[in-house]
């Protein structure tokens, strides 16, 4: 069959810079605003709790323990009363005791700092309009670029924390900071790519691209981490307001609602409630071929997520300190990182509820979806764990520096 056709070009009034607006119009912006208002309600609630702790509870303790116009007898009586009291004031000699596996905690805290700065710059450039949808892969390329360039903050943070926790093997700490998180992500990515190679799929990443990723990892990120660690180890040890006692204090039994099986799910639930609506649009844009260009909403939701996670970690940390549970280091990290578990479960539900039955039975589709979802959840776990940990660390330094116990 021989056939012909004609094309007639009509000049448009749309400017070249605005040619994508017809595809990127926010037809469902009310949903985003509703989700943000819902998140702000949660945030205001947590802020009120933290404000109550800081003003009504701690303020009275500060006024009592910082009293200077006392006689010797009154001070001795106050010291006896202090020994008889319970609460966060009694664990001042153990609150800065190094936790188990301090090197691993320092490594993950440094990696969390790296992910935080990477996310900040990526969202900043995306919100300013530098990542156009016309340039396919610009967002992923910027994420990789900012990650390898932000190795210096990771090494610096890990070095300062490991020095605080008296870790002597500086080289091992720095090398783990440069390789632990990227190595785990590369292993998961390579496993998914092996399935794609086996299925002879066009989605398989070429071997040359893997070589380029390794060059970025070892040629840029690794030296940046060592440079940051060198600068961090040159600094003095972080000063803490309380000296650690030589004998650990015995921890009394905790109430049931402060156990790990209750505190961790509660600690991750409220931050997830602030972002789950935006998670739906992100997953839909990735796996259902929809445009996602609402980076302003995403930046605002990320800010709400960070503040909510920090305040939730501080509230639970204070409750544990009041129960004389001073092992807050890992607990604060896991409290913040618990949000990632909900994100992974929600992503799994999205796949089971919306994917075509043939895709659910296909090994390649399932491995690609859950492999990338696992990498994303792992990154969120480290990032939010760092937010929870560093917020609790600053909170504890603040409250113990404001009382004169030593």
């Amino acid at each position: 069959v021989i056939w012909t056709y004609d094309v007639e070009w009509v000049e448009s009034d749309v400017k070249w810079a605005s040619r994508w607006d017809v595809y990127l119009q926010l037809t469902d912006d009310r949903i985003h605003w509703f989700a943000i208002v819902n998140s702000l309600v949660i945030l205001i609630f947590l802020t009120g709790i933290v404000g109550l702790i800081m003003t009504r509870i701690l303020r009275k303790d500060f006024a009592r323990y910082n009293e200077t116009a006392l006689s010797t007898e009154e001070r001795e009586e106050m010291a006896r009363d202090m020994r008889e009291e319970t609460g966060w004031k009694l664990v001042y000699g153990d609150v800065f005791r190094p936790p188990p596996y301090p090197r691993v905690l320092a490594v993950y805290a440094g990696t969390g700092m790296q992910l935080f700065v990477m996310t900040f710059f990526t969202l900043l450039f995306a919100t300013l309009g530098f990542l156009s949808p016309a340039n396919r892969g610009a967002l992923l390329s910027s994420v990789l670029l900012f990650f390898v360039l932000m190795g210096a903050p990771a090494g610096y943070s890990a070095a300062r924390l490991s020095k605080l926790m008296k870790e002597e093997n500086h080289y091992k700490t720095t090398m783990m900071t440069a390789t632990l998180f990227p190595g785990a992500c590369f292993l998961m990515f390579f496993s998914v790519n092996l399935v794609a190679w086996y299925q002879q799929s066009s989605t398989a990443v070429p071997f040359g691209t893997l070589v380029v990723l390794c060059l970025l990892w070892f040629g840029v990120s690794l030296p940046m981490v060592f440079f940051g660690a060198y600068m961090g180890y040159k600094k003095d040890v972080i000063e803490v307001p309380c000296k650690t006692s030589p004998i650990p204090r015995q921890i009394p039994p905790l109430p049931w609602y402060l156990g790990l099986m209750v505190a961790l799910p509660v600690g991750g639930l409220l931050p997830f409630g602030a972002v789950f609506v935006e998670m739906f649009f992100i997953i839909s844009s990735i796996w259902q071929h929809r445009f996602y260009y609402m980076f302003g909403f995403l930046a605002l939701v990320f800010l709400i997520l960070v503040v909510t996670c920090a305040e939730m970690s501080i509230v639970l940390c204070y409750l544990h300190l009041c129960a004389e549970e001073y092992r807050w280091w890992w607990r604060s990290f896991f409290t913040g990182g618990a949000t990632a578990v909900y994100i992974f479960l929600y992503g799994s539900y999205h796949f089971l509820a919306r994917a075509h039955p043939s895709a659910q039975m296909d090994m390649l589709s399932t491995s690609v979806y859950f492999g990338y979802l696992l990498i994303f959840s792992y990154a969120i776990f480290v990032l939010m764990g760092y937010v929870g940990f560093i917020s609790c660390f600053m909170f504890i330094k603040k409250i113990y520096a404001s009382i004169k116990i030593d």
Side-chain angles (χ1 to χ4, degrees):
V1 177
I2 300 175
W3 55 278
T4 60
Y5 66 94
D6 295 329
V7 177
E8 182 179 358
W9 301 98
V10 180
E11 187 176 357
S12 174
D13 296 332
V14 180
K15 296 182 180 180
W16 174 259
S18 305
R19 65 193 185 280
W20 282 91
D21 291 353
V22 66
Y23 303 104
L24 305 178
Q25 289 178 352
L26 304 182
T27 57
D28 48 7
D29 55 343
R30 293 183 180 179
I31 301 177
H32 292 272
W33 284 118
F34 175 77
I36 289 175
V37 170
N38 177 48
S39 304
L40 287 175
V41 171
I42 299 175
L43 181 61
I44 293 172
F45 172 72
L46 288 176
T47 304
I49 295 178
V50 175
L52 182 66
I53 293 173
M54 296 297 293
T55 56
R56 298 189 61 182
I57 302 175
L58 298 178
R59 191 175 178 182
K60 296 178 182 179
D61 295 327
F62 295 158
R64 178 177 179 183
Y65 285 88
N66 290 337
E67 186 63 46
T68 57
L70 293 177
S71 62
T72 305
E73 294 80 6
E74 290 175 335
R75 290 179 181 177
E76 292 177 355
E77 183 180 357
M78 187 183 71
R80 286 193 299 270
D81 293 340
M82 184 189 68
R83 286 192 294 268
E84 295 174 359
E85 287 187 2
T86 59
W88 61 274
K89 301 172 289 295
L90 292 179
V91 296
Y92 68 93
D94 298 276
V95 72
F96 290 105
R97 187 179 303 279
Y101 308 105
R103 179 181 294 115
V104 180
L105 180 61
V107 167
Y108 272 114
T111 305
M113 178 67 176
Q114 184 178 10
L115 290 171
F116 183 83
V117 180
M118 175 207 75
T119 307
F120 172 79
F121 280 108
T122 303
L123 289 177
L124 177 64
F125 276 78
T127 304
L128 294 177
F130 289 102
L131 304 180
S132 172
N135 186 8
R136 294 178 60 86
L139 181 62
L140 182 59
S141 300
S142 63
V143 167
L144 292 175
L145 178 63
F146 284 126
F147 180 80
V148 298
L149 291 179
M150 296 304 142
Y156 182 84
S157 302
R160 296 299 303 275
L161 285 174
S162 65
K163 201 170 182 180
L164 171 65
M165 294 183 283
K166 301 178 182 179
E167 277 294 317
E168 298 181 355
N169 195 335
H170 297 173
Y171 174 79
K172 187 174 182 180
T173 302
T174 308
M175 182 59 70
M176 287 181 63
T177 305
T179 56
L180 184 60
F181 177 80
C185 292
F186 186 82
L187 181 62
M188 289 184 282
F189 175 74
F190 187 73
S191 302
V192 172
N193 208 47
L194 280 180
V195 177
W197 279 344
Y198 177 77
Q199 298 282 345
Q200 297 180 352
S201 172
S202 60
T203 59
V205 177
F207 182 75
T209 304
L210 297 178
V211 174
V212 172
L213 290 176
C214 291
L215 290 176
L216 286 173
W217 180 8
F218 292 103
V220 181
S221 179
L222 187 69
M224 294 294 288
V225 171
F226 271 86
F227 172 75
Y230 172 75
M231 299 301 295
Y233 283 120
K234 287 180 62 177
K235 295 285 186 179
D236 295 332
V237 181
I238 300 175
E239 294 184 2
V240 293
C242 303
K243 296 180 180 180
T244 302
S245 60
I247 301 176
R249 181 182 178 86
Q250 186 176 2
I251 302 174
L254 294 176
W256 64 270
Y257 55 86
L258 292 180
L260 285 176
M261 300 304 295
V262 178
L264 292 185
V266 172
L269 182 60
L270 287 181
F272 172 74
V275 299
F276 80 97
V277 174
E278 208 66 28
M279 275 296 303
F280 170 79
F281 289 100
I282 293 175
I283 295 177
S284 299
S285 66
I286 295 175
W287 301 109
Q288 296 180 9
H289 306 289
R290 299 179 183 177
F291 286 109
Y292 186 88
Y293 202 60
M294 294 165 282
F295 294 111
F297 283 111
L298 184 60
L300 184 57
V301 169
F302 176 72
L303 177 62
I304 294 174
L305 172 64
V306 169
V307 178
T308 306
C309 182
E311 292 182 346
M312 194 68 199
S313 301
I314 288 174
V315 170
L316 290 177
C317 178
Y318 176 76
L319 293 177
H320 283 99
L321 290 177
C322 288
E324 300 182 37
E325 168 61 278
Y326 54 83
R327 297 173 299 182
W328 61 272
W329 302 79
W330 278 111
R331 190 183 293 268
S332 63
F333 191 91
F334 285 124
T335 300
T339 308
V341 178
Y342 288 97
I343 291 178
F344 183 82
L345 294 176
Y346 181 74
S348 303
Y349 166 77
H350 190 278
F351 179 80
L352 297 175
R354 291 185 168 269
H356 195 272
S358 60
Q360 296 178 3
M361 300 300 296
D362 183 63
M363 181 177 67
L364 178 61
S365 301
T366 305
S367 61
V368 168
Y369 183 91
F370 282 99
Y372 290 161
L373 179 63
L374 187 60
I375 294 175
F376 178 73
S377 302
Y378 181 41
I380 292 294
F381 170 77
V382 177
L383 172 58
M384 290 296 106
Y386 166 76
V387 171
F389 166 75
I390 200 67
S391 58
C392 289
F393 181 71
M394 296 172 64
F395 171 76
I396 289 174
K397 278 189 64 178
K398 179 67 176 177
I399 64 174
Y400 282 97
S402 301
I403 57 175
K404 298 177 182 178
I405 294 183
D406 292 337

